[in-house]
Structures are given as C-alpha cells and as structure tokens.
Amino acid sequence: MLAQLKGLFSNDIGIDLGTANSLVYVRDRGIVLHEPSVVAIQAGTTNVLAVGEEAKRMLGRTPGNIVAIRPMKDGVIADFEITEAMLRHFIQKVHNRKLIAPRVVVAVPSGITEVEKRAVKDSATHAGAREVYLIEQPMASAIGVGLPVHEPAGNMIVDIGGGTCEIAIISLAGIVFSRSLRVGGDEFDETIIAHMKRAYNLMIGERTAEEIKIRCGSAYPLEQELSMEVKGRDLSAGLPKTLTVRSEEIREALKEPLASILESIRITLERCPPELSADLVDRGIVIAGGGALLRGIDRLVAEETGLPVHIAENPLTAVAEGTGRVLQELQFLKRVAYSR
C-alpha cells in the first residue's frame, strides 16, 4: 500500500532534449524513454498527430496535409510550441497518474544564450514540470560516463550529438573551459547529401544519408573498407536510381565537419591550465554522444592530439544518465544547474 501511495507522488525526471533523439530518465527507474525528437502535425495548425518513433517514420514521406518537424535545431528550440507539445508528450508518457508535478532536469548545450535557456525552462514548465533545472550537456555527459568530476583533477569530455559538439575540461565539479560547436550528426548527414548530389547527381533524403553514415561512415581508414547500395532520385533524368558507394568516399566527404571538431579540441587543449594538462596525459579524452559511434573517431582524435582516447561505454545515453545521477544529489544539482 505504501509503495502504491509513493508511486502516486512526484517522480523526478531528467531529460536529454537532443536535436536528433530525446531520452527521459526517471529517478529509481533509469532511462524509460528513448525516442527521436520528431513531431508530426496537421499542416497549418499546431495539432499534434504523432511524436517520436512514429513521427520519424513519416519524415520525407508525408502527404500535403501532414508535416513532420524536428523542433530542435543545433541543440536549441527552433519551434517553441511544437517543442512544448513534444515535452508534454514525453513527460505524460512517463509520469501518468501522479498527484504532484515532477521536478525536471534538462540538459542544454553549454553555448546557448539566456533567451534560449529561458525558452527551454518555459517549455518544460508549460509541459507540466514543478521545478526546472538546466545542466550543461558536457557536465551531464561527464557524470553519465562515470568521470570523477568532483576531484581536483582534469577530465576532458567530447560529446558529439545530433546538432552540437560539446567539448569541456572539468575539475572540482565545474567547467574550467568549454566550447560548443554547432556541428554534429546532422551536419554529417547534410555533408553526405551534398556529396551524393555533387558526385553522382543523386538526390537522397535525410534518412538515407543517416543510413549511409551508420553503415559506411568512418573517420579513419578501415582494415576492411565497406560499401552499400544507395537508392535515390537522378536529378538529370528525374527517375529513381540505385548505385554503390564506398566507405573511402564517405570518409573523404566527412573530412570538413570532422576538421571543425578537431580544431575545437585543439583550441580547448591550448586553453587548458598546465596542471590539468598534465592530468590529461594520463586520463586522456572521453568521447560520448551519437558521433562517438562513427568508426575510427577515437583513432583520429588520438592521432591528432597524442592523448589516449576512450569511447564511452554507452555513448548515446551518457547525457540522460548524467541528468539522472544529478537528480540523486540535490545539493550538487543546485550547485551545477541553473534553477528556475
């Protein structure tokens, strides 16, 4: 009976509100929701028809009266009303039949403005949160992968998400230096779309580009190169066409966005205090986020920096896990988060 009563009351929630995917962590239950940040609405209205996985399947395939939208762009809110509807859907899905509204922690990019922070807080409040705290993504990611952020020693995290790449050096539960770069998985996809258009006069959609990146993408030469069939529309004939692409050409296409990330890593290392630089020689760099799954990215970063590089055990869930762990420690949460 007590357990049932307890269940009716507030559950604290941690949200990784990502450009590509949103994850929800519920205290004492772990990650309970992992869905694409996509909303399908009726054209010309804010009437929501589908959210998450169901809406993603509609991307690029909707009739004229339905529009599939990604309301987050480069890690920030591009469409306020649709983001609010998406947040409400996620919160209600994990928090139904509770008497008290939840306390919510939302992870946001470190480089966003005060106006953008306010937009996230307002969206979460309108979606049904009692209190809203914001935590910087690199901090949440570092906590999520298990880095000892409380210690007086340097920890470096590179979180490559869908819309942003967050690079930070953390010591004593604070960010010593960070860079937020609006380059991520979406930029990789756009680069692949541009390459297919330029090299083959073939038009492909976002979902096909993402599939090419997952199945053929790499940041470093592979022992055994890969290839796959790609279907799209021939721009000169206007007809469907199939051709084969190889991992070497996709790697060449991805060089530009990867160079931006490497440059930001170098700048961060240059700004690092010497004592913390000494720690990084032993501890190295941890890469998290969906971009960590790009083949050979650890080898590329290690070659460029000369430091040991580790891929997080669960790179996709690192930020959400971090928001969940912060929920367990209220005093720490109040220290590292921006409260409402």
Side-chain angles (χ1 to χ4, degrees), residues 243-263:
L243 51 83
T244 303
V245 295
R246 294 182 56 78
S247 51
E248 296 100 308
E249 61 178 293
I250 301 302
R251 183 165 59 250
E252 191 61 35
L254 292 174
K255 266 190 173 174
E256 201 178 317
L258 285 169
S260 303
I261 292 171
L262 290 171
E263 179 62 21

Side-chain angles (χ1 to χ4, degrees), residues 266-277:
R266 271 197 295 272
I267 290 168
T268 305
L269 288 167
E270 280 169 14
R271 302 281 182 90
C272 180
E275 292 295 337
L276 298 182
S277 291

